[in-house]
Amino acid sequence: MTKEVRRLVAEMCVGMFLYVLVLGILAAVFRDGLAGMGFALGPVLLGLFAGFIADTAMLVHMAIVAERATDSRDAAYANRYTVVQSMIRKVIFIAVLFFVGSRPQVDAVAMILGALGLKAGAFLQPAVHRTFSPHDGGSGENGISEERREVYGNDEDSDDSAGT
């Protein structure tokens, strides 16, 4: 993986971990309610952690697949490759879910909820990026405007689409 993709994956993993951490704290706070519904705190926490591990593995796999598909520069191959790899990823996740979820030490429902952290990681990535790299983000000469000028030319009016 390229340096930028590795950084993006790491930032998303931080967001996924924060999501699972919040769920774990909520499970600890409401442990009596969970126990009343038949859920023990230990298996729920292990299920959340297993979901986080599954998310991390899926995210790394998606990053590798996306880079390979992009590097191929063949749209038909890239489409076929990403669809096949997506199906393989889903089948493996379901197999791991059945295997791990059949153990009494891990709650399968909590693993599924933990695996939803991939979405939370994607939503939290911009905030994590700004938090850990405040000098990279922003507007003006350091943000997207500068990148557009490098790619599309140094036209001063190119960033103002609402002008005149």
Side-chain angles (χ1 to χ4, degrees):
M1 283 190 287
T2 64
K3 179 181 170 184
E4 293 82 16
V5 172
R6 274 186 266 134
R7 183 175 179 166
L8 179 67
V9 167
E11 290 170 351
M12 285 183 65
C13 283
V14 169
M16 292 171 359
F17 181 76
L18 290 174
Y19 168 80
V20 170
L21 182 66
V22 167
L23 287 181
I25 291 170
L26 288 173
V29 168
F30 296 110
R31 87 178 70 160
D32 293 335
L34 286 173
M37 293 187 300
F39 296 102
L41 182 62
V44 168
L45 293 177
L46 284 175
L48 290 173
F49 183 70
F52 171 72
I53 296 299
D55 267 353
T56 304
M58 289 188 289
L59 179 61
V60 168
H61 183 255
M62 283 188 273
I64 292 169
V65 167
E67 279 196 331
R68 285 186 185 166
T70 303
D71 290 343
S72 74
R73 299 198 186 266
D74 179 11
Y77 169 78
N79 186 33
R80 217 174 27 253
Y81 181 70
T82 55
V83 168
V84 168
Q85 293 299 316
S86 173
M87 295 305 292
I88 290 171
R89 189 170 47 250
K90 289 173 186 173
V91 167
I92 290 173
F93 177 74
I94 291 170
V96 169
L97 177 66
F98 277 117
F99 178 74
V100 174
S102 67
R103 308 290 177 248
Q105 299 87 2
V106 179
D107 187 67
V109 174
M111 184 175 169
I112 293 170
L113 290 174
L116 293 175
L118 196 57
K119 305 286 186 202
F123 288 127
L124 291 174
Q125 185 275 330
V128 171
H129 179 76
R130 283 189 303 271
T131 301
F132 291 119
S133 304
H135 59 279
D136 287 348
S139 60
E141 296 303 312
N142 293 330
I144 209 76
S145 298
E146 181 62 25
E147 182 179 338
R148 286 183 185 153
R149 285 191 183 103
E150 288 176 13
V151 173
Y152 298 112
N154 198 13
D155 183 8
E156 292 296 326
D157 297 327
S158 64
D159 293 328
D160 185 22
S161 60
T164 63

